[in-house]
């Protein structure tokens, strides 16, 4: 009877944690504390430290922890209303000035399971959503339903006019994949992710132009560019130093998309907007990664990004001398290369040679592909296995700093050693991550002369592949990089450290990639991405199993099993 009662309390508080205001919860005991705290607030009970004070020491997602000396106050419904973006940017919320990741804190328990850093509400929500997305029929039905609600003019089914529907979607799909609607929400999200241990967040403003959007007037195009520019500048303002900011060139407007398809250079107005964004990013040490576009715009996207890299990925002449050998500067602009395109190795070899010839550092963001459903079949690999092989082969060659394998430079006049290339591996594949860590460890332990060590970063989409992200964070906490990631299977402990890595050289950075914007903007963005990448969205069963295993582990620990 006692065991049944304990399980009932645990399950009921878990349900409340998922469908109430999100909090940073690390264990079942803290869920109980949250429930008790709300009961005290509702009935005006007096805690042991005196009237009007609350003992609650675990951090909240909207700022620092509430301590013993923090007076209770009632939050009015008007205070929760999101402020206009223009006002929130000018007056950012006051946050603790602590940029040290939790993974570097002396109090961090490195024996915890990798997924132990996730709050229980996030575990349950991720399990439910990834379970849904791993079933093709449910995924298709959900995408169709969300698209219908976004386009509906009926107030009952409109996301913007139905407050109940807005509340439900905001606390499920939006909370799972998005950072926030305004400066206050996004800044708190970025701070929370830093406390978990991430190097930062790769923010993308959820604004883009549809292919069938039509041509707009000059006034409308100018307003579109200004809105796009302001959204990305806000992203830079809300990001931590060293993070990434992503955007799509086509977000400027339909005229820009037409120019991209026609392989035309940017207009003076478009160039001015890009320069303003890159100047702001450089001033704050934020790296910029233009996203991939459809194949018919690929050539122009590559050219525009390389033009920016020529400006921002080189050291100024005033800081160098011809007689001294100066280390290559880090890349600020990262070009996106889609590995399902058969032409990607050739394109990348050309760009590496161009960077060497013109004296700038090439930044490479490596993805498998974003437009599988719409690309011409003859341009892409026929199977996923071929795409995986191309991705891993390119990544291995870049991390080794040598022209070999997929990036073999046959007939080229060089010694096989690359100039510095900085790498961002955007992948949910644990085998790829393990390969990258192994190559990194071998390079750091080798005494042979090698190419300059590149900057290595990993990124996974917010709300997906948390088992991969948390395993990377666990490896950092252990100051290790074995040839395999710490296990996210609750029944098997993490492997013992076998190789020093993260402490022997520059540590790989770990980021979560997510968009931000209003509920309608983000849901429209997410449904389009899910519709374009149904195969990728469907391959979430491993995440669902990892989340379920962690939930079971915590339930078992709470009842002493």
């Amino acid at each position: 009877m006692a065991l049944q009662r304990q399980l009932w309390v645990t399950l009921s508080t878990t349900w409340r944690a998922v469908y109430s205001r999100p909090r940073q919860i690390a264990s079942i005991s803290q869920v109980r504390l949250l429930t008790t705290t709300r009961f005290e607030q509702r009935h005006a009970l007096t805690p042991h430290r005196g009237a009007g004070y609350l003992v609650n020491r675990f951090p909240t997602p909207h700022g620092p922890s509430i301590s013993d000396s923090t007076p209770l106050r009632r939050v009015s419904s008007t205070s929760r209303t999101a402020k206009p973006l223009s006002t929130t940017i000018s007056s950012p919320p006051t946050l603790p000035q602590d940029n040290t990741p939790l993974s570097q804190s002396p109090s961090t328990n490195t024996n915890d399971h990798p997924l132990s850093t996730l709050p229980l509400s996030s575990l349950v929500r991720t399990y439910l959503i990834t379970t849904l997305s791993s079933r093709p029929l449910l995924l298709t039905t959900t995408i169709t339903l969300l698209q219908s609600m976004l386009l509906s003019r009926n107030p009952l089914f409109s996301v913007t006019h139905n407050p109940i529907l807005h509340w439900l979607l905001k606390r499920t799909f939006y909370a799972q994949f998005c950072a926030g609607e305004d400066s206050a929400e996004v800044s708190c999200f970025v701070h929370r992710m830093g406390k978990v241990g991430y190097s930062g967040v790769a923010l993308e403003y959820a604004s883009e132009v549809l292919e069938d959007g039509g041509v707009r007037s000059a006034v409308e195009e100018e307003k579109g560019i200004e809105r796009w520019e302001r959204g990305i500048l806000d992203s830079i303002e809300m990001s931590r130093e060293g993070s990434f900011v992503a955007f799509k060139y086509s977000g400027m407007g339909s005229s820009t998309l037409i120019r991209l398809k026609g392989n035309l250079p940017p207009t003076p107005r478009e160039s001015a907007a890009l320069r303003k964004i890159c100047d702001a990013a450089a001033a704050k040490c934020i790296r910029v990664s233009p996203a991939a576009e459809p194949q018919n715009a690929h050539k122009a996207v590559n050219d525009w990004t390389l033009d920016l890299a020529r400006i921002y990925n080189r050291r100024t002449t005033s800081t160098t001398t011809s007689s001294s050998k100066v280390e290559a500067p880090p890349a600020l602009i990262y070009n996106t290369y889609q590995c399902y395109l058969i032409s990607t190795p050739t394109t990348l070899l050309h760009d590496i040679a161009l960077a060497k010839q013109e004296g700038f550092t090439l930044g490479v963001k490596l993805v498998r592909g974003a437009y599988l459903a719409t690309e011409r079949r003859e341009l892409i690999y026929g199977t996923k296995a071929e795409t995986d092989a191309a991705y891993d082969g390119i990544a291995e060659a870049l991390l080794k700093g040598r022209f070999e394998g997929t990036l073999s430079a046959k007939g080229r006049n060089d010694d096989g050693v690359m100039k510095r290339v900085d790498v961002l591996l955007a992948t949910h594949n644990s085998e790829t991550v393990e390969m990258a860590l192994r190559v990194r460890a071998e390079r750091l332990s080798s005494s042979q002369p090698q190419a300059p060590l590149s900057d290595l970063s990993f990124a996974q989409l917010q709300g997906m592949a948390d088992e991969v992200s948390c395993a990377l964070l666990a490896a950092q906490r252990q100051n290790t990089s074995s040839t395999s990631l710490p296990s996210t299977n609750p029944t098997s402990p993490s492997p013992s450290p076998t190789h020093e890595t993260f402490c022997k050289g520059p540590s790989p950075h770990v980021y979560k990639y997510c968009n931000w914007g209003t509920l309608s903007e983000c849901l429209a963005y997410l449904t389009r991405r899910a519709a374009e990448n149904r195969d990728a969205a469907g391959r979430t069963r491993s995440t669902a199993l990892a989340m379920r295993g962690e939930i079971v582990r915590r339930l078992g620990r709470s009842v002493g099993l």
Side-chain angles (χ1 to χ4, degrees), residues 211 257 260-263 292-302 336-344 347 370-372 374-380:
E211 296 237 9
L257 183 57
L260 289 170
K261 290 181 179 180
N263 194 23
E293 305 268 3
Q295 176 61 30
N296 54 9
H298 175 71
K299 179 65 169 60
V301 168
N302 193 66
T336 300
Y337 297 88
Q338 302 185 93
C339 291
Y340 69 178
L341 294 175
I342 299 174
S343 61
T344 292
T347 302
Y371 299 93
L372 182 62
T374 58
E375 295 284 16
R376 291 159 47 193
R377 298 292 99 182
E378 67 271 17
L379 299 178
I380 64 177

Side-chain angles (χ1 to χ4, degrees), residues 46-65:
T46 304
H48 67 84
R49 286 296 301 265
Y53 291 86
L54 172 66
V55 178
N56 181 9
R57 294 189 173 278
F58 59 91
T60 72
H62 301 282
S65 302

Side-chain angles (χ1 to χ4, degrees), residues 399-468:
L399 295 177
K400 287 182 177 179
R402 299 194 62 83
F403 294 105
E404 62 180 37
T406 307
L407 287 184
S408 59
K410 296 179 181 179
R412 305 178 73 93
N413 296 323
D414 53 43
D415 56 0
V417 177
M418 291 183 189
K419 183 179 178 291
R420 170 175 174 164
V421 176
D422 290 345
V423 181
L424 169 62
L425 296 181
T427 179
H428 295 174
N429 191 306
S430 59
E431 294 178 359
T432 297
V433 173
E434 291 172 359
M435 178 276 297
L437 292 178
R438 172 180 54 78
V439 173
R440 185 77 164 189
E442 291 172 354
R443 283 206 63 183
L444 291 172
S445 60
S446 175
S447 59
Q448 299 295 325
Q450 301 180 69
L453 190 66
S454 61
D455 186 273
L456 173 60
S457 302
F458 296 96
Q460 290 81 40
L461 291 173
Q462 168 63 14
M464 299 180 69
D466 285 336
E467 72 280 11
V468 176

Side-chain angles (χ1 to χ4, degrees), residues 201-203 239 242-246 286-289 334 424 457 511:
V201 175
L203 287 176
S239 298
S243 298
F244 281 85
V245 166
I286 303 293
R287 290 173 282 186
V288 177
S289 175
Y334 279 65
L424 169 62
S457 302
Y511 298 91

Side-chain angles (χ1 to χ4, degrees), residues 178-232:
C178 306
E181 294 196 63
D182 56 28
S183 167
E185 292 183 4
V186 176
S187 296
C188 290
F189 175 84
V190 170
H191 181 74
R192 290 202 312 272
M193 300 301 279
K195 283 297 184 183
V196 171
Y198 289 101
S199 306
V201 175
L203 287 176
E204 180 176 1
Y205 180 50
S207 175
E208 61 180 5
V209 174
L210 299 181
E211 296 237 9
D212 56 354
V215 179
R216 299 183 294 181
S217 66
V219 175
E220 290 175 329
E221 287 293 332
E222 175 61 26
K223 289 182 179 179
I225 293 177
E226 290 178 356
R227 182 168 178 264
W228 177 84
E229 178 186 289
R230 183 68 261 167
I232 300 171

Side-chain angles (χ1 to χ4, degrees), residues 69-308:
S69 59
T70 304
L72 289 173
R73 62 183 180 88
R74 182 177 296 277
V75 181
S76 65
S77 59
T78 56
S79 66
R80 294 177 183 173
T81 303
K83 297 181 180 179
L85 189 58
S86 58
T87 60
T88 56
I89 291 296
S90 59
S91 312
T94 302
L95 293 173
Q97 300 300 313
D98 178 14
N99 293 330
T100 303
L102 185 62
S103 59
Q104 298 178 5
S105 170
S107 61
T108 300
N109 183 2
T110 59
N111 294 324
D112 280 346
H113 190 265
L115 292 174
S116 63
T117 58
L118 296 179
L120 181 61
S121 59
S122 177
L123 287 172
V124 177
R125 187 179 61 239
T126 301
Y127 172 66
L128 294 175
I129 292 178
T130 54
T131 299
L132 181 150
S133 64
S134 64
R135 289 167 169 76
L137 180 60
L138 289 177
L139 176 62
T140 301
T141 303
T142 302
I143 292 173
T144 303
L145 184 61
L146 287 174
Q147 289 174 335
S148 300
M149 289 188 292
L150 290 168
L151 298 174
S152 176
R153 296 183 179 181
N154 187 332
L156 184 62
F157 300 103
S158 172
V159 173
T160 56
H161 296 94
N162 186 330
I164 298 177
L165 191 59
H166 185 282
W167 180 90
L168 179 63
L169 293 175
K170 182 71 181 289
R171 281 157 179 78
T172 52
F173 291 98
Y174 187 94
Q176 180 69 13
F177 300 109
C178 306
E181 294 196 63
D182 56 28
S183 167
E185 292 183 4
V186 176
S187 296
C188 290
F189 175 84
V190 170
H191 181 74
R192 290 202 312 272
M193 300 301 279
K195 283 297 184 183
V196 171
Y198 289 101
S199 306
V201 175
L203 287 176
E204 180 176 1
Y205 180 50
S207 175
E208 61 180 5
V209 174
L210 299 181
E211 296 237 9
D212 56 354
V215 179
R216 299 183 294 181
S217 66
V219 175
E220 290 175 329
E221 287 293 332
E222 175 61 26
K223 289 182 179 179
I225 293 177
E226 290 178 356
R227 182 168 178 264
W228 177 84
E229 178 186 289
R230 183 68 261 167
I232 300 171
L233 290 174
D234 290 343
S235 300
I236 294 171
E237 180 67 24
M238 294 182 292
S239 298
R240 291 173 44 161
E241 180 178 327
S243 298
F244 281 85
V245 166
F247 58 78
K248 296 183 73 171
Y249 292 118
S250 58
M252 283 189 267
S254 55
S255 295
T256 304
L257 183 57
I258 292 173
R259 298 184 68 81
L260 289 170
K261 290 181 179 180
N263 194 23
L264 299 173
T267 64
R269 177 64 181 92
E270 292 165 343
S271 294
L274 291 171
R275 290 294 299 270
K276 185 175 181 179
I277 289 169
C278 292
D279 286 341
K284 198 175 176 182
C285 296
I286 303 293
R287 290 173 282 186
V288 177
S289 175
E293 305 268 3
Q295 176 61 30
N296 54 9
H298 175 71
K299 179 65 169 60
V301 168
N302 193 66
D303 292 342
W304 289 21
T305 305
L306 289 178
D307 286 341
L308 294 175

Side-chain angles (χ1 to χ4, degrees), residues 36 67 91 115 246 250 256 310 320 481:
T36 305
S67 65
S91 312
L115 292 174
S250 58
T256 304
R310 289 183 176 95
T320 62
S481 133

